[in-house]
Every structure is written in structure tokens, then in C-alpha cells.
Amino acid sequence: MSARYESAKEIYAKMGVDTDAAIAKMKTIPVSLHCWQGDDVIGFDHDGPLTGGIQTTGDYPGKARTPDELFADLDKAMSLMPGKKKINVHACYAIFEEGEFVDRDKIEPKHFQRWVDFAKERGMGLDFNPTFFSHPKIKDGLSLSSPDPEIRKFWIEHGKACIRISKYFAEQTGIPCVMNIWTGDGYKDVPADRMGPRMRYKESIDEILSEPYDPKWVKPCVESKVFGIGVEAYTVGSAEFALSYAAANREKCLPLMDNGHYHPTEVVSDKIPALLCFYPQIALHVTRGIRWDSDHVVLLDDETKEIAQEIVRCDGLDRTYIALDYFDASINRVSAWVTGFRSMQKALLNALCTPSAYLKELQDTNQMSRKMVAMEDCKMLPIGDIWEEYCRQCGVAANGYYDEIEKYEADVQLKRS
Ligand code: RNT
Ligand code: ZN
């Protein structure tokens, strides 16, 4: 324990914050790491590009092209991150035998056995996502909401197969599996019928969730979005749609908020306490939206800090599934993973080291001037020293990790070509 930590601990203690307890708590909070930052959301089940309302930009060299490469990069990235991880897998990352191909409506748990082994060997849980994009059966930009019953059927079967795989993940790891339903279904220009696609989407999700599962172990979510690239005018799975769906199916489905999926002046930090009033559990995709893109690498910015503050202040850590969701193809992908994960960790540690009870008390007794001053004072607390101690206890460097990534890039990633 460094002298700096000892001194910082005292400063926090004077404000009623137990930094040892904050560090201990940090080690128990899982954050789900998305496998798709490693290869620009391509996966292993198709050769084509990423399509369907999302896009990566950039062609930084060295991306993972095979399961072995992706696993190696994930391991490298995780070796530079403090804290507890889950791995978030997309269905398009199915791993087939040599020469084998199974379409998405027919995938089985065995096609994810290597993911299960990977997670189990590392003592981690797994989350899952059906992949309703980058596939020829996306017809006219629609999947679960398509007017074509054959198309809907295909994607419903995919969703059901994914429930079965999520069940397998939970059974195998002994940790509940969050299964997120997101589609890019929508229209580029003003639609003539807005309700029809939403009714079909609703019925399709109903059918997917009719596949039997135990909601204690499999946690299906619906993720909303305001617009996507190529679907600027109308998104079937809008915020109201997703929240209402989850509210109407509270026993078996969670709402998932991605903070890149709202109008720019809306903040998910303010939505978290609203949802926690009504839903037993919620799920988040933490990301960083910039203008039209919803998927930049998470940084320790104001909104990331505020999201963490709200989860902690609401005593919502046990009711909130935190996952990361971003993909930047213009920088080193291992670095992108590490920087985003560490940013979320810093935000959570900062929240746990905030004297929230004291600040709430000031609010409830209408001491708003004192509350403002105290909240500003908190911004100058020596959180860096607490972070350093947390990283030391987790066996990772507190900063300066890029040299390690540069070495890995030279030794491994740049040799792939
Ligand atoms: C897209 C959604 C969705 C995806 C992943 C890959 O806008 O955020 O969560 O990013 O499923
Ligand atoms: Zn998302």
C-alpha cells in the first residue's frame, strides 16, 4: 500500500467514504466485455460486410480474423484490465468445424463450445446476442418486423435458438446469461405505416420468448434505438416500443438502454433512476455517441461518470447488468477494448468513492448551496490514488499500458496479413 493511498484514504474517510470497502466492492461488479470490438463486428459465420443499421469505420491493421486470434486478443486485453469480467458474444461468432456451415435459424450450443470453454477456464460468465444483421435474410432492411412471414419465421427461429444457447451458457458457467434483442429494422425515409412493423416486431418477440427458459438464468432484453445509418426516418424498436414491451413482460424481459441511442440532449444517467422505480432489473450498453455515430470508445467523460453515479446512488448495482458496446476500427482494437473497459471501471470506482448519503441528505434538507459546493469539492478528491491502489491489488498497471499494447501489436497483430 503506497503512502499516497494512505493519505488519500484519510482524505476520503473525513468525508465518510471507506475506500477499502469501495475497492473490495469494485472486485465484485461484473462488466460485460463485447467480443465484437476485436474484429469490427464481423464474426465467423459469413464473409460479407457489416450491414443493418450499424457500421464500423477505419481500417487499422491487425484485426482478428479467426477464433484463435480473437481469443488471443481478448486475453491480451483482459490482462490489462482490473475488475470482474463477463464476455458478451454475438451469434455471428459461432465457431464451426472445418467445412461446416449452419445458418442462424439452426445454430446450437455446440457451435459456441469454444466460447464456453474460454469463459469457464477464466471463471467468467457469458452474455449473448442474436445477430439480426449482416445476413442475406434481412429483407428490405427488416428482420423480425418484416411483412414477409418467411423472413419473420427465419429470424424468430434464430431468436429461439439463441434462447437455447443462452440457457446453455448459464448452465455451463453457473452465471445468468443476459440475451439482448436488437434489430436495425427501420426505414430510410418517412414510412406510410409506423404501427404495422411494430405490431409484427412485438409478435415476433413474443414468439421468441415462448421458447422455455428460466428468467432467473436467462435474461432476455429489448434494446431501443432512435435511428441508425440508412434508417434515419424510423426505427421499429424505438424507446417507447422497447420500454413498453419490457414493462408488459416484466417477468421475462428487461429493458436495455444504450446511451448512444437517444437524442443528443437526452441522458441515460437520468433514465436509470426512472427505470429502477419500475423494473426489477435493467440492462445497459455503455458507449459514447458522437453526432450520428453511437459507438465510439468509452472514455471517462461526464456522462460515463454520471451513469456510474446513478447506478451506485440508486443502490442499483445488483439490479443493473452493465455491458460495453462500441467498435472503433481506426485504432488498435486491443487498446480500444482496454481503454473503454478501464473507463467504466474508473467511473464505477469514482461513484463508490462519492459520499452519496451525505449529498442526498443535503438535498433532502434543502441545503442546495452547500450541496453544490460539496459536489464540486468531490471533483477534486484524489481518486487517482485510489485507482492506483485498486489496479495494484488487481495486478495491473494503473496507467501507461500502451507500451504493452504496442509490443503486442508489433509481435502479433501486425504479423497478420
Ligand atoms: C447497435 C446496437 C447493438 C449492437 C450490437 C453489436 O446500434 O447498439 O447493441 O451494437 O448488437
Ligand atoms: Zn447497443
Side-chain angles (χ1 to χ4, degrees), residues 111-126:
H111 302 122
F112 295 86
Q113 190 57 44
R114 288 199 58 196
W115 287 103
V116 169
D117 295 342
F118 182 85
K120 277 169 85 174
E121 279 159 21
R122 288 154 188 77
M124 293 170 188
L126 285 166

Side-chain angles (χ1 to χ4, degrees), residues 36 41 53-54 90 129 133 180 182 223 225 258 261 285 294-295 325 327:
W36 51 91
V41 210
I54 50 173
H90 238 287
N129 307 259
F133 52 80
N180 181 44
W182 173 77
E223 177 182 14
K225 193 164 179 174
D258 178 312
H261 290 189
H285 273 180
S294 55
D295 301 292
D325 181 17
F327 22 95

Side-chain angles (χ1 to χ4, degrees), residues 190-199 233-236:
V190 185
D193 174 16
R194 291 169 189 267
M195 190 169 158
R198 287 185 175 138
M199 282 307 292
Y234 165 81
T235 294
V236 181

